[in-house]
Amino acid sequence: MTDTPNILWITTDQQRFDTIGAHGNPAINTPNLDRLAAEGLSFMRTYCQAPICTPSRASFMTGRYPASHHVHRNGNDHWPAAEKILPAILKETTEYTTGLIGKHHLSRSEDRIELIPEDGYDVAELSDCWPIGRDYDAWLKHKHGIGDPLTLYPELLSKAPRDYGPGLPMALQQSTWWAERAAAFIEDHKDGPWFLNLNAVDPHPPFFPPQEFLDRYTPEEMPLPLFRDSDIARQEEFWDIDQQWKKIQDVRHYDPAEDIDQSQTPLEDRNLFDFPPDTYDARMVKACYYAMIEMVDDRIGAVLKALEDSGQSENTIVIFTSDHGEMMGDHGMLYKGCRFFEGLVHVPLIIRWPGVTAPGTQTDALVELVDLAPTILDIAGVDLPYTMQGRPLTDLLTGAAETHKPHVVCEFNEALAGMPYQSHGTMVFDGRYKTCMYHDAGKAEIFDLQEDPGEFVSLWDKPGFEREQIRLLKLHLDAVMATSDAGIERTGNY
């Protein structure tokens, strides 16, 4: 074993910031993430750089913003040749053995095998978007005798109201596959040092957890989404903005400001989403989503045990995060799109660095996923590339700093295919005020998260707020412009 720390980077897909028990959610069971939080540092205000998969992953793998790497969309035809991702840099500059298990998703994977860039991984065992999975498919075939994975799903789909309900048994889940393969990688490379990207597909929809995990949640006890009647008119106003789920009806949900007890209200009147041609039960959807997260947590526990059993736990930095969040019914929306509500852009981040991070600590410093690649390079002793835009979190990890950035930036740029509108939006959040600009759509929002943490009331055009609005718009413009590429490095005066 080497003194150079191993690095295990676990990324889930579409997991909200508020889905960890130790971070204040009593309705979800996440004992292994709770343990990581108890042993490491929790970053309580971490934001993604795009509220959708591929642009977000491109940002945290390059340490660069979408405006610079130009990977704006899900379904990009190819990865730009000039962009270098983290493991490729590690391979060029260190002795790390690099591995990827799970989802890559840096370019189009629909109807074809994703075109993998020169990514620097020594070991890569891949799964594409549900339900096709490449190495996962091979595992199903060779371990479980399932020749065609697509045969697993028709029965599930026929029983589900749409895309939520009981899923495959635990033995066949992708989470079981990646946990097994991660444990094997850890055992095979215990002489170290190694870097392992563990990219889970879950809890991305469809929300199909194993029945054994779904049984742990009672839908009637699930907290309802953030919703007020005013959200109906608000979403109608934003109807021409990209969103995967946009049909708004008269739904009645929990408003934390009013703390209304709706336990005696008939089910059909209090937690139904109208999504033609099917009807969504908001509490059942959340139960399925939470069950999927607990399933992932369970398999993370298996990977952490593999670290311990191989004697590597004390020499391994563990990073846990997600690529973006999930609306989960808040304000009348599911899934993701060109909006910047907390449920979608605010993500979990926990880092456990044995002997360095103070156990069980939290920081409210504003940080971004774009900071992760430079953090890992800094830990590995690698000089940051001139083009890298994120900032290392090392001083926060060591306790040498309490703040990190004055603001965070998120961008959505025509990222969804098959939508009636193509939207371009940007968000800047300074820790209190969040400005959201929908370019070419003539729309904007400003939220004061100190006074309105549920983001129910936009201050855009509020009488008497004009001076503050101008200040925030200048900040927004400066922050977004700063995400553009620095260009070619200057080496002379002329």
Side-chain angles (χ1 to χ4, degrees), residues 365-396:
L366 287 173
V367 304
E368 300 175 294
L369 293 184
V370 77
D371 298 326
L372 290 178
T375 299
I376 291 169
L377 292 179
D378 194 45
I379 291 171
V382 177
D383 291 336
L384 300 187
Y386 167 74
T387 57
M388 194 164 278
Q389 297 170 302
R391 294 176 50 196
L393 301 171
T394 319
D395 284 347
L396 288 172

Side-chain angles (χ1 to χ4, degrees), residues 140-162:
L140 286 172
K141 179 179 181 180
H142 297 300
K143 183 167 184 175
H144 298 282
I146 298 169
D148 181 3
L150 289 175
T151 62
L152 295 172
Y153 298 97
E155 184 177 358
L156 293 179
L157 294 170
S158 67
K159 293 179 179 179
R162 187 172 175 87

Side-chain angles (χ1 to χ4, degrees), residues 143-295:
K143 183 167 184 175
H144 298 282
I146 298 169
D148 181 3
L150 289 175
T151 62
L152 295 172
Y153 298 97
E155 184 177 358
L156 293 179
L157 294 170
S158 67
K159 293 179 179 179
R162 187 172 175 87
D163 60 358
Y164 63 96
L168 295 175
M170 190 64 199
L172 303 180
Q173 290 278 345
Q174 280 206 37
S175 294
T176 299
W177 164 74
W178 57 248
E180 285 187 12
R181 301 313 305 149
F185 178 94
I186 289 167
E187 178 63 27
D188 291 345
H189 298 89
K190 56 186 176 183
D191 290 336
W194 49 261
F195 165 82
L196 177 59
N197 240 161
L198 185 51
N199 289 341
V201 170
D202 300 314
H204 189 289
F207 305 124
F208 284 165
Q211 185 69 57
E212 65 192 85
F213 285 91
L214 185 56
D215 287 343
R216 302 176 189 183
Y217 294 88
T218 302
E220 291 76 16
E221 296 176 357
M222 289 292 98
L224 286 165
L226 298 171
F227 190 84
R228 293 179 183 174
D229 288 343
S230 58
D231 281 315
I232 298 171
R234 174 204 243 172
Q235 304 309 356
E236 289 175 351
E237 180 184 353
F238 282 80
W239 201 260
D240 57 346
I241 302 297
D242 278 5
Q243 184 70 30
Q244 285 183 327
W245 184 87
K246 297 168 71 172
K247 185 66 176 176
I248 310 300
Q249 296 292 337
D250 185 13
V251 289
R252 298 175 176 83
H253 297 299
Y254 173 62
D255 179 350
E258 300 178 10
D259 195 22
I260 300 172
D261 180 8
Q262 299 189 29
S263 60
Q264 303 306 311
T265 305
L267 186 66
E268 63 271 15
D269 288 338
R270 63 187 165 99
N271 64 348
L272 296 181
F273 292 85
D274 186 5
F275 188 94
D278 304 297
T279 299
Y280 273 85
D281 177 336
R283 282 186 160 131
M284 182 61 180
V285 173
K286 184 167 286 190
C288 292
Y289 182 65
Y290 280 15
M292 290 177 72
I293 292 170
E294 184 173 348
M295 172 190 70

Side-chain angles (χ1 to χ4, degrees), residues 179-480:
E180 285 187 12
R181 301 313 305 149
F185 178 94
I186 289 167
E187 178 63 27
D188 291 345
H189 298 89
K190 56 186 176 183
D191 290 336
W194 49 261
F195 165 82
L196 177 59
N197 240 161
L198 185 51
N199 289 341
V201 170
D202 300 314
H204 189 289
F207 305 124
F208 284 165
Q211 185 69 57
E212 65 192 85
F213 285 91
L214 185 56
D215 287 343
R216 302 176 189 183
Y217 294 88
T218 302
E220 291 76 16
E221 296 176 357
M222 289 292 98
L224 286 165
L226 298 171
F227 190 84
R228 293 179 183 174
D229 288 343
S230 58
D231 281 315
I232 298 171
R234 174 204 243 172
Q235 304 309 356
E236 289 175 351
E237 180 184 353
F238 282 80
W239 201 260
D240 57 346
I241 302 297
D242 278 5
Q243 184 70 30
Q244 285 183 327
W245 184 87
K246 297 168 71 172
K247 185 66 176 176
I248 310 300
Q249 296 292 337
D250 185 13
V251 289
R252 298 175 176 83
H253 297 299
Y254 173 62
D255 179 350
E258 300 178 10
D259 195 22
I260 300 172
D261 180 8
Q262 299 189 29
S263 60
Q264 303 306 311
T265 305
L267 186 66
E268 63 271 15
D269 288 338
R270 63 187 165 99
N271 64 348
L272 296 181
F273 292 85
D274 186 5
F275 188 94
D278 304 297
T279 299
Y280 273 85
D281 177 336
R283 282 186 160 131
M284 182 61 180
V285 173
K286 184 167 286 190
C288 292
Y289 182 65
Y290 280 15
M292 290 177 72
I293 292 170
E294 184 173 348
M295 172 190 70
V296 171
D297 178 273
D298 180 82
R299 293 299 81 203
I300 288 174
V303 176
L304 296 178
K305 185 176 186 301
L307 280 176
E308 295 166 357
D309 291 347
S310 64
Q312 299 180 76
S313 186
E314 291 304 307
N315 194 43
T316 301
I317 297 169
V318 179
I319 302 169
F320 171 81
T321 190
S322 193
D323 57 356
H324 54 78
E326 155 66 49
M327 286 305 298
M328 195 43 52
D330 286 355
H331 306 290
M333 292 185 287
L334 284 171
Y335 314 135
K336 54 189 177 283
C338 189
R339 300 300 290 278
F340 302 98
F341 292 111
E342 287 289 281
L344 189 51
V345 300
H346 186 177
V347 294
L349 176 61
I350 304 171
I351 300 179
R352 184 184 75 180
W353 187 353
V356 176
T357 52
T361 52
Q362 297 182 352
T363 176
D364 286 328
L366 287 173
V367 304
E368 300 175 294
L369 293 184
V370 77
D371 298 326
L372 290 178
T375 299
I376 291 169
L377 292 179
D378 194 45
I379 291 171
V382 177
D383 291 336
L384 300 187
Y386 167 74
T387 57
M388 194 164 278
Q389 297 170 302
R391 294 176 50 196
L393 301 171
T394 319
D395 284 347
L396 288 172
L397 291 167
T398 62
E402 295 183 357
T403 61
H404 184 61
K405 288 181 171 180
H407 54 258
V408 294
V409 181
C410 187
E411 181 176 7
F412 181 104
N413 191 349
E414 298 185 356
L416 284 169
M419 301 300 290
Y421 310 97
Q422 289 296 315
S423 302
H424 185 190
T426 54
M427 177 210 85
V428 175
F429 177 50
D430 67 2
R432 176 174 180 176
Y433 291 106
K434 180 187 290 185
T435 58
C436 309
M437 304 294 295
Y438 301 93
H439 310 289
D440 298 330
K443 295 178 173 64
E445 298 167 301
I446 299 177
F447 297 108
D448 180 352
L449 270 69
Q450 178 176 297
E451 301 299 324
D452 178 27
E455 300 172 289
F456 285 106
V457 181
S458 174
L459 302 178
W460 187 259
D461 286 339
K462 177 186 175 183
F465 195 71
E466 291 85 359
R467 184 177 294 274
E468 187 71 347
Q469 179 172 330
I470 291 171
R471 182 188 73 81
L472 291 170
L473 290 179
K474 182 181 183 301
L475 169 64
H476 189 109
L477 177 62
D478 291 343
V480 171

